Structures are given as C-alpha cells and as structure tokens.
C-alpha cells in the first residue's frame, strides 16, 4: 500500500474538520430552531433583556434582545418591531410602575422575581403576571396574560362590595362555620352587628356564645347541639349583648352542606332590634288608636241619641205649637218658629252626615262583586221624587261591575246625582250623563293600589252651573262650600263622604268644572269581571 503524502493528509484532516463543524452548525441551528418554535408556542410572552450600564457601571436601561411570537397574539406587536429597542423607548412606563427595579434586582442578585402589573398598549388595557430569572448576562421575563382573570377578580370584588353594602343597608351579616375544623368566618357587617369593626377579633363559635344574652344562652346551645347533630335547617331568634353593652335581638338562619369530608353551616344573621322596637311602638300606637276609636264610638252613640234627641223634641214642640196655636200666632212669630224648625232640621242632617262620614271605614262588610246598573236603579228609585220634580234626565251606558260594598256605592251615586240636581241652571232641564270604561292600572296617572290590575272609570257629567277650576282640589274638603247656605242649602259633607268611600275602596275621585257650563266627576274603582 502506498503511503499518502503529508499535504494530502492535512487536506483530508481539514475536510473532515469542516464536515464535523458543518454538522455541528446544522445541529446547533436545528436546536435553535426547535428552541425558537418551543418558545413561540408558549402561552406566555417570553422576552430577553440585556442591561445597559453607564460609565459608573450602573444599569440605566435594558435592551430588548429577544421576544417570542406570542407577543403578536397578545398585544398586536410583531417581534421584529420590538427587538433591538430600549425599554425606555418601547415602554417607558416600566420606569414608573416598578418593573425596571425588579429587573435590576434580578440582574444583580440572580434571585427570581415575581410581580403583577397593568399595561396599556394602544388604547387597550392588559394585566400580566411576570416571572424574571437571570440567564447569562441578561434576564429572561416570562409574562402570562391574566387580563381575563383580572376582570373576573375585579367583578368579584365589585360583587363582594355590593353584597357588603347590601348587608349593611339590610342590617344583616353572613357567616360560614366549618363544623369539622371549628373554623368560623364572618362578613364585615356580621362584625358590625356585634359592635365591632371588621377583623377586630378572630371568629370562633365559643367566642360567639359570649355575646349571647345569659337568659338565652342555654337554650341556644341546646338548640345548636340538636341541629348540629341532625344537620337540619337552622333558624332561631335570641338576644345578644354587643361590645358597647347594647342589647340586640337577632335572627339566625342557616343551611348545612358537606364538601371534601367537612361539614359546613352557612347562614345569615339579621338584626331585628329596629323591627322589634317598631313593632312595640306600633302595638302602643294601636292601643292608643283603639282608645281613640272607643272614644269616637262613644261620641257616635252620644251624637246619634243624646245630641239628636233635643233636636227631635224642638221640632216636635214647634209642630205642636204650629198646629195648636197657629191661629193666634203673629206672622213674625210663625216665621220665627219656621226658622227654628229649619235650623233644627239642618243640625240633625249635619249630625247624621257626620256620623255617616265617621263610620265609613268601620264597615265590616267584605268587598264583593257589585253591579253598578243595580246601584243606579236603586238610587233613581230613592230620588224618584226629586228627579220628577226637577224634570231630570239621566243618560247612562252599561255600567259594568266593580269590587266594593253596595250600600256605600249607592251613597256615592246618590250624593253625586243630588249634587248635579242641586246645582242645576235655572230654566234649563238638568241632564246627567253617566258613562264608564275599563282601564288598566298603568293607564291611570295616580298612586292607585297596584294589587288591582284593572279599574273602572265612571264619569258623572252634568250641564249645571259648574264651578271655577281653581276649586278642583278644595271641593272635597269637609264643610267646604262654594256657595252660601241660603242659595244652596246643605251640610258641605256630600263630596267629602264620596271621597272617603271611594278611597276606602282603593279608588280615587276627582272633579273638574267650567263655570256656567257644568261639572264632571270621575270615579275610579277596582274592576270586577
């Protein structure tokens, strides 16, 4: 075998070395390519920063040496537009939000750093959870987009704040007791109910028992033992003594559930003190009201008998004098007796109307379906003489049904029709038109009872003398008169009685007038099919 020349050996060695080097370069490129693909496929923004130092070897900035493709997906920036920039140029806010200092600490100490920060790219807000580690001469920052989690966190905080405010307004607090580990949690307002600020002490069941009134403690403990064993719904009311020694009445309601082997009791603590005080005040007021009603009832008995009896005797004796001594009475004496008799009658009518007015809300009859057509016919029959004397024409359509008390509604119809007859125009035939229509509650501009979805609107329109519109709100006042008694006799209670009856039926009445043309009274009553 022929020996190779030295130069040939050198050339062969160089060729082998080049081949090995090229293989290593290809292998390194493949590794870099693989590493880059791995980093680009990460769900985090990965960036590499090299420190920029001044003459005194102090870090004054960082150069963005690398950023992966995930940057494009998150903030819309291509890596080529980011790499090579100084941090102070690309995102100067990092010098104000503490990020720059975090990178310096990691660069100098090689200790990993973690932080959460808010960033704004364009007009969009982002939150990132970042971890910084030292690598060679720079630092690598892994930043995970937690914007969605932050939104949920902020929403959760808002809901908790609203719940806390709602508890404060409603004067309730919530609690959670881990029965297995004897751990107790209070909401902020649960602390306040006990007279403390949130977090003033560590909640424990044994500590809570110290707040319970001594007279209630044994009963509460016995009840808790029974409920804790049976795991049934908890509901109890007892008294507590707060930090300031104030006695409160509270109600506790709770439910049990099991999770991961532990039993929990979650519930609500309600401060009933104000409610109890209000109930006590209400009971006292009701007692006062009962006494007042008893006095009123006594007055009614006196008014119905003791006050009217002298008036009946006055009228009786005047009648006797007129019958027995009428022939010898002078004209002036006869007129004087007539005036006394008229005054006595007016007084009796006034007392009768006052009794009617005072008894309206004391009627014990339950409302029932009332046919207003029947009501009108009964009233026309009662007023037949007056209707005939004054040639009154009453026009009406089908008046339908309402929910009410019939004889009281007859009083309303009677008063309104008599009102139209009384205030008729001279030498003009009185015409009274009564019409009705069904309206939904929302169609009526008033504070009528929303329990009734539909109301019947009944209008009473006449062609009488009417009244000035400025008196529309005054005509229902008790004893309010727009005319002198000599021109139009009456007690001044007719419309007041109408209003009180209609109001007691959960309805409303109003009146509108045009002087010289007539009046319209509109009544709203709960409709009944």
């Amino acid at each position: 075998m022929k020996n190779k020349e030295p130069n040939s050996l050198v050339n062969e060695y160089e060729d082998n070395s080049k081949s090995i080097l090229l293989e290593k370069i290809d292998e390194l490129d493949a590794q870099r390519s693989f590493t880059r693909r791995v980093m680009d496929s990460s769900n985090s923004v990965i960036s590499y920063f090299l420190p920029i130092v001044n003459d005194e070897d102090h870090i004054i900035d960082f150069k963005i040496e690398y950023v992966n493709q995930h940057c494009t997906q998150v903030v819309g920036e291509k890596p080529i537009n980011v790499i090579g920039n100084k941090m102070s140029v690309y995102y100067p806010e990092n010098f104000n939000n503490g990020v720059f200092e975090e990178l310096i600490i990691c660069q100098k100490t090689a200790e990993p750093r973690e932080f959460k920060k808010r960033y704004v790219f364009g007009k969009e807000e982002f939150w990132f959870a970042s971890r910084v580690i030292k690598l060679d001469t720079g630092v690598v920052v892994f930043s995970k987009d937690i914007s969605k989690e932050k939104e949920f966190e902020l929403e959760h905080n808002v809901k908790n704040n609203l719940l806390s405010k709602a508890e404060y307004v409603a004067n309730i607090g919530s609690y959670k007791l881990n029965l297995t580990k004897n751990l107790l949690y209070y909401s902020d307002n649960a602390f306040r109910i006990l007279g403390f600020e949130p977090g003033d002490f560590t909640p424990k069941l044994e500590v809570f028992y110290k707040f319970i009134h001594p007279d209630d403690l044994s009963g509460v403990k016995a009840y808790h033992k029974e409920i804790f064993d049976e795991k049934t719904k908890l509901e109890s009311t007892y008294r507590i003594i707060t930090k300031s020694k104030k006695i409160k009445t509270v109600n506790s309601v709770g439910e049990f559930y099991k999770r991961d082997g532990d039993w929990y009791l979650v519930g609500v603590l309600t401060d009933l003190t104000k409610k109890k005080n209000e109930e006590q005040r209400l009971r006292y007021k009701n007692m006062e009201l009962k006494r007042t009603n008893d006095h009123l009832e006594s007055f009614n008995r006196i008014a119905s008998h003791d006050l009217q009896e002298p008036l009946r005797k006055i009228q009786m004796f005047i009648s006797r004098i007129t019958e027995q001594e009428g022939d010898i009475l002078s004209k002036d004496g006869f007129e004087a007796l007539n005036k006394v008799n008229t005054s006595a009658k007016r007084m009796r009518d006034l007392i009768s109307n006052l009794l009617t007015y005072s008894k309206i809300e004391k009627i014990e009859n339950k409302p029932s379906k009332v046919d207003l057509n029947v009501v009108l016919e009964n009233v026309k029959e009662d007023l037949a003489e007056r209707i005939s004397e004054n040639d009154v024409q009453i026009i009406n359509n089908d008046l339908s049904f309402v929910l009410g008390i019939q004889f009281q509604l007859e009083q309303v119809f009677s008063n309104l029709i008599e009102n139209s007859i009384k205030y008729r125009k001279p030498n003009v035939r009185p015409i009274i038109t009564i019409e009705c229509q069904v309206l939904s509650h929302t169609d009526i501009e008033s504070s009528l009872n929303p329990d009734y979805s539909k109301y019947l609107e009944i209008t009473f329109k006449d062609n009488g003398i009417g009244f000035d519109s400025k008196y529309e709100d005054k005509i229902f006042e008790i004893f309010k008169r727009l005319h002198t008694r000599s021109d139009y006799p009456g007690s001044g209670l007719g419309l007041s009685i109408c209003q009180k009856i209609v109001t007691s039926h959960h309805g409303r009445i109003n009146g509108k007038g045009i002087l010289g043309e007539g009046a319209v009274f509109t009544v709203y009553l709960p409709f009944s099919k």
Side-chain angles (χ1 to χ4, degrees):
M1 186 173 182
K2 191 174 183 180
N3 292 330
K4 292 183 178 179
E5 295 292 329
N7 288 339
S8 176
L9 288 172
V10 170
N11 291 336
E12 184 177 344
Y13 176 78
E14 288 179 351
D15 290 341
N16 289 336
S17 297
K18 286 180 180 179
S19 177
I20 293 170
L21 181 60
L22 288 173
E23 287 179 5
K24 291 292 184 182
I25 291 173
D26 289 341
E27 185 180 340
L28 184 60
D29 286 342
Q31 289 177 351
R32 286 176 177 173
S33 178
F34 175 76
T35 302
R36 187 176 291 108
R37 285 197 301 272
V38 170
M39 294 174 69
D40 286 340
S41 64
S42 172
N43 289 328
S44 299
V45 176
I46 304 174
S47 45
Y48 183 58
F49 295 86
L50 291 175
I52 299 174
V53 299
N54 58 13
D55 295 338
E56 298 175 354
D57 203 31
H58 293 155
I59 299 175
I60 58 173
D61 207 339
F62 281 92
K63 179 184 176 184
I64 305 173
E65 191 70 15
Y66 168 81
V67 63
N68 68 345
Q69 290 291 338
H70 195 63
C71 172
T72 305
Q73 297 178 30
V74 176
V75 299
E77 286 278 11
K78 293 182 178 180
I80 193 172
N81 297 328
V82 179
I83 295 173
N85 281 307
K86 292 181 180 179
M87 180 188 289
S88 59
V89 175
Y90 180 70
Y91 200 78
E93 184 60 27
N94 279 341
F95 288 79
N96 299 321
N97 62 14
V99 172
F100 179 64
E101 287 75 11
E102 294 284 356
L103 268 60
I104 289 177
I105 293 172
C106 182
Q107 178 71 31
K108 290 183 176 180
T109 65
E111 294 180 359
R113 307 291 294 177
E114 292 184 355
F115 53 86
K116 295 178 181 179
K117 297 293 180 181
R118 170 183 170 274
Y119 301 84
V120 178
F121 294 99
K123 294 183 179 180
E124 194 169 355
E125 179 182 289
F126 296 88
W127 278 87
F128 287 97
S130 299
R131 177 176 173 82
V132 187
I133 60 173
K134 183 79 163 52
L135 181 65
D136 296 335
T137 58
V139 292
V140 178
V141 181
F142 300 87
S143 299
K144 182 181 179 182
D145 184 5
I146 58 169
S147 302
K148 290 294 183 185
E149 291 90 333
K150 200 67 179 180
E151 285 181 12
F152 293 141
E153 180 185 335
L154 292 173
E155 183 180 350
H156 180 70
N157 290 338
V158 168
K159 288 180 178 178
N160 281 344
N161 288 335
L162 289 174
L163 180 60
S164 180
K165 290 178 181 178
E167 285 189 356
Y168 181 78
V169 171
N171 215 7
I172 63 174
S174 55
Y175 60 86
K176 181 178 179 181
L177 173 63
N178 185 322
L179 291 168
T180 309
K181 298 176 181 176
N182 193 25
L183 298 176
L184 183 59
Y185 161 82
Y186 283 154
S187 67
D188 289 352
N189 211 50
F191 280 101
R192 295 188 186 101
I193 289 175
L194 298 172
F196 292 84
E197 287 301 311
D200 275 359
F201 63 91
T202 301
K204 289 185 179 179
L205 189 59
E206 295 76 15
V207 175
F208 177 70
Y209 284 146
K210 294 179 181 179
F211 292 106
I212 298 177
H213 195 285
D215 294 345
D216 298 344
L217 181 58
S218 59
V220 172
K221 282 187 172 181
Y223 176 68
H224 279 184
K225 185 179 184 306
E226 177 186 347
I227 291 296
F228 290 174
D229 289 342
E230 297 178 359
K231 304 295 187 298
T232 55
K233 182 179 179 179
L234 179 147
E235 184 168 5
S236 59
T237 301
Y238 45 87
R239 291 168 295 170
I240 60 171
I241 302 176
T242 67
K243 178 183 179 182
S244 60
K245 306 303 179 184
K246 182 179 179 181
I247 297 177
K248 290 183 176 182
T249 302
V250 297
N251 173 258
S252 179
V253 178
E255 296 277 359
F256 293 89
Y257 71 92
K258 192 174 184 180
R259 177 185 292 174
D260 299 330
D262 290 354
W263 276 101
Y264 292 88
L265 169 67
V266 291
V268 173
L269 196 67
T270 306
D271 185 356
L272 300 178
T273 310
K274 185 176 180 180
K275 181 182 177 183
K276 288 288 184 182
N277 291 339
E278 289 295 333
E279 287 176 351
Q280 187 173 353
R281 280 193 289 269
L282 184 60
R283 281 194 296 270
Y284 177 74
K285 291 290 184 184
N286 285 338
M287 289 173 61
E288 285 188 329
L289 182 60
K290 187 178 183 304
R291 284 195 297 268
T292 302
N293 286 337
D294 289 342
H295 293 325
L296 182 60
E297 188 64 33
S298 176
F299 167 77
N300 285 341
R301 287 194 297 270
I302 293 171
S304 62
H305 182 268
D306 296 1
L307 290 180
Q308 295 214 50
E309 182 61 24
L311 294 173
R312 281 194 292 268
K313 286 183 177 180
I314 289 172
Q315 288 184 298
M316 181 184 69
F317 285 123
I318 288 174
S319 178
R320 286 183 183 178
I321 292 172
T322 303
E323 291 176 0
Q324 297 175 7
E325 309 293 337
D327 295 338
I328 61 174
L329 283 174
S330 66
K331 183 179 179 180
D332 290 342
F334 195 80
E335 288 180 357
L337 285 176
N338 278 338
K339 287 182 179 179
V340 172
N341 189 46
T342 301
S343 296
K345 182 180 182 304
R346 188 167 63 246
M347 189 63 182
R348 286 188 66 185
D349 290 343
L350 178 60
I351 292 172
S352 177
N353 285 330
L354 278 171
L355 289 172
T356 300
Y357 185 82
S358 66
K359 291 179 178 178
I360 286 172
E361 293 177 350
K362 290 178 68 64
I363 301 299
E364 296 180 356
N365 300 49
K366 292 184 178 180
S368 59
K369 185 176 181 179
V370 178
D371 187 346
L372 293 184
N373 294 295
V374 174
V375 168
L376 179 58
E377 288 305 315
N378 290 345
V379 171
K380 286 165 70 174
E381 185 177 335
D382 291 342
L383 300 178
E385 188 175 341
R386 291 207 64 194
I387 291 171
S388 177
E389 287 176 355
N390 295 281
D391 192 25
V392 179
Q393 181 183 6
I394 297 177
I395 304 170
N396 64 278
N397 61 359
D398 183 13
L399 297 183
S400 193
F401 297 86
V402 295
L403 192 65
I405 300 170
Q406 181 163 324
F407 79 91
Q408 287 192 339
L409 296 177
E410 288 179 359
Q411 179 83 63
V412 172
F413 271 60
S414 179
N415 286 5
L416 291 176
I417 291 173
E418 281 195 288
N419 212 59
S420 294
I421 296 173
K422 181 193 298 185
Y423 297 108
R424 63 190 182 278
K425 288 179 186 176
N427 304 318
V428 175
R429 185 186 186 188
I431 300 175
I432 304 171
T433 305
I434 306 173
E435 296 179 329
C436 72
Q437 63 173 329
V438 180
L439 298 174
S440 68
H441 178 272
T442 55
D443 292 334
I444 307 170
E445 296 181 4
S446 71
S447 55
L448 291 173
N449 192 332
D451 291 340
Y452 302 101
S453 60
K454 292 184 179 181
Y455 275 78
L456 191 68
E457 179 190 69
I458 312 129
T459 57
F460 296 77
K461 182 180 180 181
D462 64 47
N463 62 339
I465 62 173
F467 58 88
D468 196 314
S469 60
K470 66 182 180 182
Y471 296 115
E472 289 176 359
D473 296 329
K474 297 182 179 296
I475 55 177
F476 296 101
E477 294 177 9
I478 191 168
F479 300 127
K480 185 67 180 179
R481 301 178 61 89
L482 303 185
H483 307 277
T484 62
R485 186 177 286 110
S486 59
D487 291 335
Y488 296 96
S491 63
L493 279 166
L495 290 179
S496 300
I497 291 173
C498 288
Q499 185 182 56
K500 195 166 186 182
I501 291 174
V502 171
T503 302
S504 71
H505 279 66
H506 305 290
R508 189 188 73 181
I509 181 173
N510 56 47
K512 294 184 179 296
I514 300 177
L515 201 58
E517 294 187 17
V520 178
F521 287 90
T522 306
V523 178
Y524 296 95
L525 293 170
F527 173 68
S528 179
K529 293 182 178 179

